């Protein structure tokens, strides 16, 4: 299945009764598998999770830790940019040159790399100790 189709389909299952803003995300792992996730809100607002986090969790739960392509879609006027926290999560599992396609329900798309989205990001390299 294409990432666009997977992200669009999973978006329908988003649980977003508080924001009324449904998001779908799909990622392709290095093995070629596709993992999808949607945002899942709850009554304690800050405890909700983003679509990208759900897709990443599905990939990791399946035993994979490298993503090579990302697609995110929502019903907004211009292509949805991943939030700051999701940029950090994507950077944990994807190289800086991995393409992230951001999309609207009306067919507008914009693509940036993970490095574009999180320039100068904090990563595992900084945890190295002499
Ligand atoms: N949301 C995502 O799922 N991904 C993003 O990158 C941006 C925001 C969700 C979180 C919340 O459920 C809703 O969109 C409104 O912020």
């Amino acid at each position: 299945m294409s990432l666009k189709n997977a992200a669009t389909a999973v978006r329908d299952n988003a649980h977003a009764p508080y924001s009324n803003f449904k998001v779908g995300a799909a990622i392709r792992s290095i093995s070629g598998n596709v993992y999808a996730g949607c945002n899942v809100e709850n009554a304690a607002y800050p405890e909700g999770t983003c679509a990208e986090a759900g897709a990443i969790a599905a990939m990791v739960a399946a035993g994979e830790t490298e993503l090579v392509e990302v697609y995110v879609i929502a019903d907004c006027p211009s292509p949805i940019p991943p939030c700051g926290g999701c940029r950090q999560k994507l950077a944990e599992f994807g190289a800086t040159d991995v393409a992230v396609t951001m999309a609207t329900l009306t067919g507008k798309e914009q693509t940036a790399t993970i490095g574009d989205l999180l320039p100068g990001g904090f990563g595992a390299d900084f945890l190295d100790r002499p």
Side-chain angles (χ1 to χ4, degrees), residues 15-16 18-25 37-42 45 48-53 72-74 80-87:
H15 178 72
Y18 304 102
S19 70
N20 287 313
F21 188 74
K22 292 185 165 197
V23 185
C38 55
N39 53 330
V40 181
E41 300 178 351
N42 64 68
Y45 299 166
T49 51
C50 285
E52 297 91 325
V72 190
I73 188 165
I80 176 174
C83 78
C86 286
R87 294 174 192 219

